[in-house]
Amino acid sequence: MKQNIRLIREFFVIGVVVLFLGVLQTSVWFHWFNLMPSPNLWLPITVFYSINKSYLKALSMIYLISIVVSAVSAMPLALILITQLTIFGALKLLKQRIYWSGTNYLLLSVTIALITWNLTYFLLSLLIEQNSIQRPDLISWLAEILYAPLFSP
């Protein structure tokens, strides 16, 4: 019983944190930094759960993060979920091939997750959406990747 309460509390706290980070990314960021592209502030949480937790807990958290992020962004839930699951798979493959403990591995994983996020989002947008991305914003994507280490732990 105590373990279930702890699990529910963890999911609630992570959901609130992701909601806060999503609001910060989609609304507040543009008031503070104007045209500078906003980073995916919630992505390090996805990376952490994908690397360090069991499959069931990581996938459950990915579903929760996808639902919360879709509530504060203009992206459809299906697109966010498929992109998150692609990141999960890429990180699990990376962990099977290369793994070391420490912050450098987390930074590498966040960078790979951002690259996977942008490429998967672009390709799925072309396949799924009616108003797909016509020209990818490479400068914005590069800026996200370059200052991702500032926002990941």
Side-chain angles (χ1 to χ4, degrees), residues 16-29:
V16 169
V17 167
V18 168
L19 180 65
F20 173 74
L21 292 174
V23 167
L24 184 67
Q25 172 193 341
T26 56
S27 300
V28 179
W29 183 271

Side-chain angles (χ1 to χ4, degrees), residues 45-109:
I45 297 172
T46 299
V47 170
F48 174 78
Y49 274 89
S50 296
I51 293 172
N52 297 320
K53 301 298 180 179
S54 67
Y55 281 95
L56 181 63
K57 194 170 189 179
L59 288 174
S60 300
M61 194 58 71
I62 285 173
Y63 275 94
L64 175 70
I65 290 170
S66 298
I67 291 169
V68 172
V69 168
S70 71
V72 295
S73 73
M75 288 178 64
L77 176 62
L79 195 60
I80 293 174
L81 187 58
I82 294 170
T83 307
Q84 291 264 62
L85 292 174
T86 305
I87 290 171
F88 173 75
L91 291 176
K92 285 296 183 184
L93 285 174
L94 179 71
K95 185 178 177 181
Q96 288 177 355
R97 292 293 206 191
I98 306 168
Y99 181 76
W100 68 88
S101 59
T103 309
N104 291 338
Y105 185 75
L106 185 63
L107 291 176
L108 172 71
S109 300

Side-chain angles (χ1 to χ4, degrees), residues 5 8-9 22-23 31-32 34 50 64 67-68 88 100 105 107 109 120-121 129 137-138 149 153:
I5 292 173
I8 291 170
R9 185 175 34 192
V23 167
H31 291 291
W32 289 347
N34 205 4
S50 296
L64 175 70
I67 291 169
V68 172
F88 173 75
W100 68 88
Y105 185 75
L107 291 176
S109 300
T120 308
Y121 175 62
E129 291 184 324
D137 191 7
L138 297 177

Side-chain angles (χ1 to χ4, degrees), residues 3 10 12 15 20 42 56 89 96 102 109 127 129 134 138 140-141:
Q3 188 176 8
E10 178 183 357
F12 178 75
F20 173 74
W42 45 268
L56 181 63
Q96 288 177 355
S109 300
L127 294 174
E129 291 184 324
Q134 299 301 320
L138 297 177
S140 173
W141 291 357

